């Protein structure tokens, strides 16, 4: 059978690294996982308890396409807590993970052939989802001087959209309120639809993360229960859209997804409870410790070219003085050191051959062991 031209997307390299690490473990090796952007913890106890109790009451059928009203209200309340926003719950739309949110956002905002800007390095699936939807991803090259974030001067009138992420994957860098305001103003003046990926909010280590909703209502915000809420496999996210776009997205969601997982929505209510939030905030304490261990270990190994890791749980490190092939280097690190890391080629097709992304989302003992192994490995290259 024939395949479509738009299906010709690049592989998600980190998933290939995960498979190589799994094969090594199956062969009896002990691997430290610093490749995948996934918390080493599971859903909070309050989430699991809430779901167990609800399952005893009867079957979990479809919810409405926009998601349970009580969960949408709880998410709106979270925006009040985090950003001091009075958000109408009617603007909150539950999605099948953040990935489902991007599919809905791109479907609602763009037509085939539209050009959408991304600051590179960036989460690679933006590019691949756009391509699969017959849209054209446009790389906006970012620099360390701007914290690897796009700036208003890079926007042009031929762009239909702009995706920003703060904290960003793979760099962990954040946009402040003035920077978000500048990008929002430039987007508005050029007729560009702004999409803000805020999936790592709740995981910041200095200043709090700023939501694009603090500077404009003309934005699609995408978030998820995967990162701060430690519920990756539950596949539940949410969007906040302008009031006049709710019905647009609802029609798409009804047909594309019916509704998000009902079980995950119930668990999310537990995660948002005071007990759930207390447990989740403890995870951030672990990340603070792990972040320092990793940054200190990299510096001791002579790897000082790192992006400012403001949030999320990644360090993006420049290894261009050691290699022009980060894919080959990551394979060597897995084979020789037993540490799985992600080559920068996943995130930046132009410059990623000289970078690695390391995640510190696992337990502290695992990060300590991973850093020790990396130090020994890079010591052999000195």
């Amino acid at each position: 059978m024939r395949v479509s031209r738009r299906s010709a997307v690049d592989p998600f390299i980190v998933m290939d690294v995960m498979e190589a690490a799994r094969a090594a473990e199956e062969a009896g090796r002990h691997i430290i996982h610093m490749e995948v952007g996934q918390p080493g913890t599971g859903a909070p106890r309050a989430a699991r308890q809430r779901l167990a109790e609800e399952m005893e009451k009867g079957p979990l059928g479809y919810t409405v396409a926009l998601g349970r009203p009580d969960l949408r209200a709880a998410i709106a309340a979270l925006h009040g807590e985090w950003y001091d926003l009075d958000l109408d719950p009617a603007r909150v739309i539950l999605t099948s993970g953040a990935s489902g949110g991007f599919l809905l956002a791109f479907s609602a905002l763009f037509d085939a052939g539209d050009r959408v800007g991304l600051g590179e390095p960036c989460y690679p699936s933006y590019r691949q989802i756009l391509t699969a939807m017959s849209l054209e991803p446009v790389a906006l090259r970012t620099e360390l001087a701007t914290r690897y974030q796009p700036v208003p001067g890079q926007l042009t009138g031929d762009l239909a959209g702009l995706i920003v992420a703060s904290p960003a994957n793979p760099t962990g860098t954040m946009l402040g309120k003035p920077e978000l305001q500048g990008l929002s103003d430039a987007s508005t003046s050029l007729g560009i639809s702004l999409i803000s990926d805020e999936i790592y909010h709740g995981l910041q280590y200095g200043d709090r993360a700023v939501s694009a909703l603090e500077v404009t209502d003309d934005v699609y915000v995408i978030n998820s229960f995967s990162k701060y809420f430690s519920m990756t496999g539950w596949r539940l996210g949410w969007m906040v859209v302008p009031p006049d776009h709710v019905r647009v997205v609802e029609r798409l969601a009804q047909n594309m997804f019916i509704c998000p997982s009902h079980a995950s929505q119930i668990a999310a209510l537990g995660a948002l409870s005071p007990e759930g939030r207390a447990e989740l905030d403890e995870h951030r304490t672990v990340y603070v410790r792990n972040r320092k261990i990793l940054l200190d270990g990299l510096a001791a190994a002579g790897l000082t070219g790192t992006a400012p890791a403001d949030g999320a749980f990644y360090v993006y490190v420049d290894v261009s003085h050691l290699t022009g092939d980060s894919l080959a280097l990551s394979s060597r690190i897995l084979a020789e050191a037993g540490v799985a890391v992600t080559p920068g080629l996943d995130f930046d097709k132009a410059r990623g051959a000289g970078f690695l992304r390391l995640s510190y989302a696992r337990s502290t003992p695992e990060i300590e062991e991973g850093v020790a192994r990396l130090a020994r490995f890079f010591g052999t290259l000195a």
Side-chain angles (χ1 to χ4, degrees):
M1 296 178 69
R2 66 182 295 274
V3 296
S4 67
R5 289 188 299 274
R6 59 189 174 87
S7 68
V9 300
D10 296 331
F12 196 175
I13 298 175
V14 69
M15 304 306 291
D16 292 341
V17 174
M18 285 178 64
E19 174 56 25
R22 182 206 62 78
E25 288 173 323
E26 194 172 75
R29 297 191 63 202
H30 177 246
I31 304 298
I32 300 295
H33 290 273
M34 301 179 74
E35 82 280 27
V36 65
Q38 173 170 263
T41 50
R45 180 178 178 84
R48 305 193 307 271
Q49 285 182 328
R50 178 70 180 261
L51 178 57
E53 292 166 3
E54 201 73 20
M55 288 176 67
E56 292 301 316
K57 297 177 182 178
L60 302 179
Y62 296 135
T63 69
V64 295
L66 296 178
R68 287 177 58 127
D70 53 355
L71 179 54
R72 296 166 70 200
I75 290 170
L78 181 71
H79 284 73
E81 176 191 337
W82 278 358
Y83 317 116
D84 195 27
L85 292 172
D86 183 14
L87 180 63
D88 181 356
R91 295 176 59 192
V92 178
I93 298 169
L94 277 298
T95 63
S96 298
S99 299
F102 286 116
L103 286 168
L104 290 169
F106 298 165
S107 298
L109 293 171
F110 308 127
D111 290 311
D114 279 350
R115 292 162 52 84
V116 180
L118 334 151
E120 285 194 341
C122 68
Y123 177 56
S125 292
Y126 301 149
R127 189 186 312 115
Q128 312 309 341
I129 295 171
L130 288 166
T131 299
M133 297 181 72
S134 299
L135 301 166
E136 183 181 349
V138 178
L140 306 176
R141 177 169 172 155
T142 66
E143 306 293 343
L144 180 58
T146 58
R147 307 180 81 78
Y148 291 114
Q149 294 283 358
V151 296
Q154 293 178 287
L155 305 187
T156 54
D158 63 336
L159 294 177
L162 171 68
I163 304 170
V164 297
S166 173
N169 176 10
T171 62
T173 66
M174 297 199 306
L175 288 161
K177 196 168 185 178
E179 290 77 24
L180 272 170
Q181 186 72 67
L183 288 167
S184 172
D185 291 346
S187 296
T188 298
S189 68
L190 293 168
I192 294 171
S193 295
L194 179 62
I195 300 172
S196 179
D197 181 351
E198 302 183 359
I199 191 173
Y200 292 100
H201 280 220
L203 299 177
Q204 58 274 327
Y205 309 108
D207 296 335
R208 72 165 179 86
V210 177
S211 174
L213 292 165
E214 296 179 62
V215 301
T216 182
D217 281 327
D218 291 326
V219 63
Y220 273 43
V221 165
I222 310 289
N223 211 317
S224 170
F225 284 91
S226 289
K227 308 303 182 180
Y228 166 77
F229 291 94
S230 196
M231 293 173 62
T232 51
W234 297 78
R235 308 313 302 136
L236 184 66
W238 76 84
M239 310 167 65
V240 181
V241 303
D244 58 339
H245 281 238
V246 172
R247 182 57 177 164
V248 175
V249 177
E250 182 180 27
R251 292 196 306 264
L252 290 164
Q254 289 169 339
N255 288 284
M256 294 173 73
F257 300 106
I258 308 298
C259 71
S261 162
H262 192 170
S264 297
Q265 293 183 59
I266 293 168
L269 285 165
L272 282 162
S273 69
E275 299 81 7
R277 293 287 308 286
E279 182 178 336
L280 294 167
D281 285 341
E282 284 301 312
H283 297 172
R284 185 169 54 223
T285 302
V286 174
Y287 297 148
V288 169
R289 185 161 60 244
N290 291 355
R291 174 177 176 267
K292 185 177 190 311
I293 291 167
L294 179 54
L295 287 171
D296 288 351
L298 290 172
L303 299 174
T304 56
T306 58
D310 304 321
F313 34 55
Y314 307 114
V315 173
Y316 195 58
V317 56
D318 187 344
V319 291
S320 58
H321 61 295
L322 299 174
T323 186
D325 187 347
S326 60
L327 183 59
L329 180 61
S330 68
S331 296
R332 277 193 64 189
I333 293 170
L334 179 61
E336 299 175 26
V339 181
V341 302
T342 304
L345 285 169
D346 235 358
F347 313 102
D348 188 333
K349 298 185 78 170
R351 297 169 294 170
F355 287 81
L356 296 173
R357 187 196 73 175
L358 285 72
S359 170
Y360 52 88
R362 309 290 288 194
S363 70
T364 298
E366 288 177 284
I367 298 304
E368 289 174 331
E369 175 62 20
V371 168
R373 294 184 187 187
L374 289 171
R376 289 193 294 271
F377 174 84
F378 284 111
T380 67
L381 303 182

